[in-house]
Amino acid sequence: MHFQLDDQTREFRAAVRAHLDEVITPEFEERIYRSGVAHDDDFARGLVAKDMFAPDGRPLHRQVLQDELMYSDAPVYLSETTRMVAAVIDKAGSPELKQKIIPKAMAAELTIALGFTEPECGSDVAAAKTRAVRCGDDWIINGSKMFTTNGHIADYVFLLARTNPDKPKHKGLTMFLVPLDAPGVEAQAVWTLSGERTNITFYSDVRVGDEYRIGGVDEGWSVLHLALEDEHASGWGPHIARLLDHAERWARETTDAAGSPRIDDPDVRRRLARVAIELEVSTLLQRRCVWMAEQGRAPIAEGPMSKLYSTEALVRAAQDINELVGPDALRSRLEPTAPEEGRFEYLMRFSLGTTIYAGTSEVQRNIIAQRGLGLPR
């Protein structure tokens, strides 16, 4: 097992970087940042045109693409959830739903948000109380979902609903693809610490046809796991790489009271080295997941290891660099006097949320303990 990129993969990465450098202009970046919405239709369709939206081929190519998009802070979160749900539909959806959704999803012509978490359930997704009741050939859905990011602009939501309250909580759930323009759907903005807009979504007597059900009735937990395995295998190392690059540039261009570059200070170099080590470990953990995928093996525990380590490493690195830079690091994005255009302050705020996205650190530790180490619940 080795993790070096071959010539073909390096060429693909260079092509991705060139495209992103062309389209992610300072004006584009500022507009996305001010909106708090990590999606842009034209940007997504530009990736499709370059065969960089959902490229076929080796898992390592797909991972390199994700790394470059993440490093550039590209507005792709809604595109990623759309691809993820399309893959689930491909495995568990009806032929009619596959035909209706997958081609348009892969062409960036429709978008799909996630509707798992509920206001009173926290990380216990299986405790969902949103109800779906059969009514002839339709289902009537009532309830609410928290953190439905992009739910105010997406076309559909991949919704977990309880269809049998008499069964154990993991057994009475069903997955639906709910059109977000259906009568009875409402999205209200919720702003995160990083300035991102997410939503609480409400479903009041929302009627959807049975053709929008994904998987069997009361078999939603197994369908949901197809999506969660993908989410849990995420790696956040590229954000550490971006932070490290900004910190190194700051250290080279900033001088101390004696006029010496800050990078000559042993303490500065020590802190940068710590961040570089965190980045290397995060990268290797993520590439192990890619290697397993190439071998046809599911990274059941290894995916959560990658997600857990890289997000907590990002928090540690952001704290370390903010302490290094000092009070100036607290100057925010778009503040003209902020070092590195306020990236240090922003990445500190952003890092804290990553330990919650795609399952909290506590959830990841439970998965590693139970499914990786075989420990009891």
Side-chain angles (χ1 to χ4, degrees), residues 183-204:
V185 178
E186 179 186 358
Q188 293 183 3
V190 176
W191 298 92
T192 71
L193 179 63
S194 67
E196 177 188 26
R197 174 179 172 159
T198 185
N199 300 277
I200 180 170
T201 48
F202 299 93
Y203 307 87
S204 302

Side-chain angles (χ1 to χ4, degrees), residues 112-362:
I112 307 171
L114 305 181
F116 304 156
T117 304
E118 296 193 4
E120 304 299 324
C121 299
S123 296
D124 189 6
V125 175
K129 297 179 181 178
T130 294
R131 288 291 311 276
V133 178
R134 193 70 180 258
C135 180
D137 292 332
D138 296 335
W139 294 84
I140 307 299
I141 298 174
N142 282 279
S144 61
K145 294 291 179 178
M146 192 66 180
F147 304 126
T148 311
T149 304
N150 296 306
H152 64 297
I153 59 172
D155 297 299
Y156 296 91
V157 60
F158 185 51
L159 188 83
L160 181 69
R162 185 159 302 283
T163 45
N164 193 333
D166 297 325
K167 288 186 175 182
K169 66 179 184 179
H170 291 83
K171 302 294 185 180
L173 299 165
T174 304
M175 295 300 311
F176 296 91
L177 193 67
V178 178
L180 284 170
D181 61 356
V185 178
E186 179 186 358
Q188 293 183 3
V190 176
W191 298 92
T192 71
L193 179 63
S194 67
E196 177 188 26
R197 174 179 172 159
T198 185
N199 300 277
I200 180 170
T201 48
F202 299 93
Y203 307 87
S204 302
D205 291 331
V206 177
R207 182 180 291 266
V208 297
D210 189 56
E211 66 270 19
Y212 285 103
R213 173 171 49 84
I214 303 173
V217 176
D218 298 340
E219 296 177 4
W221 189 247
S222 61
V223 176
L224 177 63
H225 261 276
L226 296 173
L228 293 181
E229 284 182 5
D230 187 32
E231 267 202 311
H232 289 165
S234 59
W236 297 75
H239 289 295
I240 303 176
R242 183 156 47 98
L243 173 64
L244 180 60
D245 286 348
H246 284 297
E248 287 181 340
R249 183 163 56 238
W250 171 87
R252 286 192 172 91
E253 296 176 355
T254 306
T255 57
D256 60 18
S260 299
R262 293 296 307 274
I263 201 165
D264 292 342
D265 185 332
D267 179 60
V268 173
R269 299 174 75 89
R270 184 164 48 247
R271 289 176 188 263
L272 293 176
R274 275 203 298 261
V275 177
I277 291 169
E278 300 272 37
L279 171 60
E280 181 70 9
V281 176
S282 297
T283 300
L284 293 175
L285 287 171
Q286 180 60 47
R287 291 195 179 171
R288 177 174 65 173
C289 296
V290 174
W291 172 80
M292 291 181 69
E294 290 179 334
Q295 304 300 310
R297 298 166 54 190
I300 301 299
E302 293 80 3
M305 289 178 190
S306 172
K307 194 275 176 182
L308 172 67
Y309 185 89
S310 61
T311 55
E312 297 202 340
L314 177 59
V315 174
R316 291 190 295 268
Q319 291 174 338
D320 212 359
I321 297 303
N322 270 262
E323 290 173 3
L324 169 64
V325 176
D328 276 348
L330 300 180
R331 296 183 180 181
S332 62
R333 287 282 301 272
L334 309 179
E335 161 60 47
T337 63
E340 294 300 306
E341 300 179 325
R343 304 290 181 172
F344 300 133
E345 184 270 345
Y346 169 71
L347 281 167
M348 183 71 260
R349 287 186 289 117
F350 173 81
S351 69
L352 300 173
T354 66
T355 63
I356 299 172
Y357 305 150
T360 64
S361 292
E362 291 76 14

